[in-house]
């Protein structure tokens, strides 16, 4: 007879355990995380359906009920907006898909929390059945008693109280941190529950995987080109990395083109993801608040590091909700080395 898995902890019970660490907690934060896990289950269900529909080519713009099929990123955005903030615990939501911050009704709660999210990351991959995801970050409003304005959303990653991502891959996984380690849960579709599968994730200090869209190489700065040359051919003799596979031998490349998926693989296996500035996109492509900062919070809680090439992503105070930022994120030693290479390259100009 098949034995049940030893660990059957649901994400809800894990989040409740977290609440017990804070005896004065009101339960609003617990409720918010539960709202997010619920929203991600709804999105997961739709992602699975959309993949099948596209593969079988049974529908164009209409689903089987004759309703218009929304683009999945719009759908995911609507799910998040409907599921979060209904209990009045969220005073501001910021979405990659919505130009301005949203102010939900807080009459039923304290409005303590600010949530910024990328409802569907890597959405260009959805039609070809490649993993996509969701990214979110949770901040607290600065002044508990004051009303909030649009500027209250502009907080650095260092102030995050929790962050996470969902990956709709070969299985659906929910990974989050609220400052007490990084924990991963896998959705068991037969019971509709996220079960603890990856407790206290630690990312390797050094890695042998780099992830970057190398088609942009002609548009990179000389420093970034040199970083990639050494990642590929091995670091030069001044490298402090004596025992890593990259010493004297190049790393290997993996690039899916869905940030969440590339990040997740590198978090578990070790690796460094790069989205450098280009001639046209001098701030890179990725968004600070809904992509870079939440993943930086996760990676730092797992022992890694994230930088814009000059400083920790977590130390950047945004000036706009949709601000973009260059991103180097993953194994700590590799990202620190990239920062050093960029600084040396720039100072020699
Ligand atoms: P989104 O789908 O939320 O707009 O994000 C897409 C991002 C990210 O997921 C991915 O890593 C990156 O775009 C890929 O960009 P390139 O096609 O320029 O490599
Ligand atoms: Mn994205
Ligand atoms: Mn998106």
């Amino acid at each position: 007879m098949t034995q049940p898995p030893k660990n059957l902890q649901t994400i809800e019970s894990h989040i409740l355990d977290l609440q017990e660490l804070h005896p004065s907690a009101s339960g609003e934060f617990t409720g918010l995380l539960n709202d997010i896990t619920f929203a991600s289950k709804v999105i997961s269900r739709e992602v699975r359906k959309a993949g099948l529909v596209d593969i079988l080519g049974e529908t164009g713009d209409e689903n089987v009920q004759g309703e218009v099929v929304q683009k999945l990123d719009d759908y995911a955005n609507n799910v998040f907006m409907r599921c979060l903030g209904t209990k009045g615990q969220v005073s501001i939501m910021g979405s990659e898909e919505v130009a301005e911050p949203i102010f939900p009704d807080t009459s039923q709660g304290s409005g303590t929390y600010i949530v910024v999210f990328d409802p569907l990351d890597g959405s260009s991959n959805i039609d070809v059945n490649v993993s996509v995801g969701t990214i979110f970050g949770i901040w607290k409003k600065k002044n508990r008693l004051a009303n909030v304005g649009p500027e209250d959303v502009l907080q650095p990653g260092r102030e995050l109280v929790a962050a996470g991502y969902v990956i709709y891959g070969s299985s659906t996984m929910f990974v989050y941190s609220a400052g007490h380690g990084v924990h991963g849960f896998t959705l068991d579709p037969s019971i509709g529950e996220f079960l603890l599968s990856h407790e206290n994730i630690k990312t390797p200090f050094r890695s042998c995987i780099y992830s970057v869209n190398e088609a942009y190489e002609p548009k990179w700065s000389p420093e970034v080109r040199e970083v990639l040359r050494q990642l590929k051919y091995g670091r030069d003799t001044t490298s402090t990395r004596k025992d890593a596979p990259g010493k004297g031998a190049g790393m290997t490349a993996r690039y899916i083109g869905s940030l969440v998926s590339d990040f997740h693989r590198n978090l578990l296996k070790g690796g460094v993801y790069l989205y450098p500035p280009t001639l046209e996109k001098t701030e890179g492509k990725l968004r600070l608040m809904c992509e870079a900062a939440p993943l930086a919070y996760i990676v730092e809680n797992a022992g890694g590091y994230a930088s814009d090439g000059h400083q920790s992503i977590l130390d950047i105070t945004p000036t706009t909700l949709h601000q973009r930022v260059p991103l180097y994120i993953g194994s700590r030693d590799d990202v620190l080395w990239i920062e050093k290479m960029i600084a040396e390259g720039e100072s020699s100009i």
Side-chain angles (χ1 to χ4, degrees), residues 137-211:
I138 304 175
W139 285 264
K140 270 186 167 176
K141 71 174 178 178
K142 289 179 201 158
N143 185 337
R144 206 165 54 85
L145 300 174
N147 289 331
V148 288
E151 67 289 348
D152 287 278
V153 80
L154 303 176
Q155 297 190 44
R158 203 59 80 191
E159 302 295 331
L160 278 158
V161 293
Y165 62 88
V166 191
I167 177 165
Y168 312 103
S170 46
S171 56
T172 296
M173 269 195 78
F174 190 104
V175 178
Y176 88 102
S177 178
H180 301 278
V182 177
H183 309 287
F185 300 79
T186 301
L187 183 64
D188 182 337
S190 64
I191 55 171
E193 295 280 6
F194 281 108
L195 299 176
L196 183 62
S197 53
H198 298 65
E199 195 170 12
N200 203 16
I201 297 168
K202 292 289 171 208
T203 198
F205 182 62
R206 302 183 180 102
S207 76
C208 57
I209 293 176
Y210 71 88
S211 312

Side-chain angles (χ1 to χ4, degrees), residues 96 118-123 133 135 259-260 286-287 290-291:
E96 188 205 82
D118 176 356
L120 206 74
D121 174 68
S123 51
I135 308 170
L259 173 62
V260 167
L286 300 172
R287 277 126 309 203
C290 69
E291 294 176 317

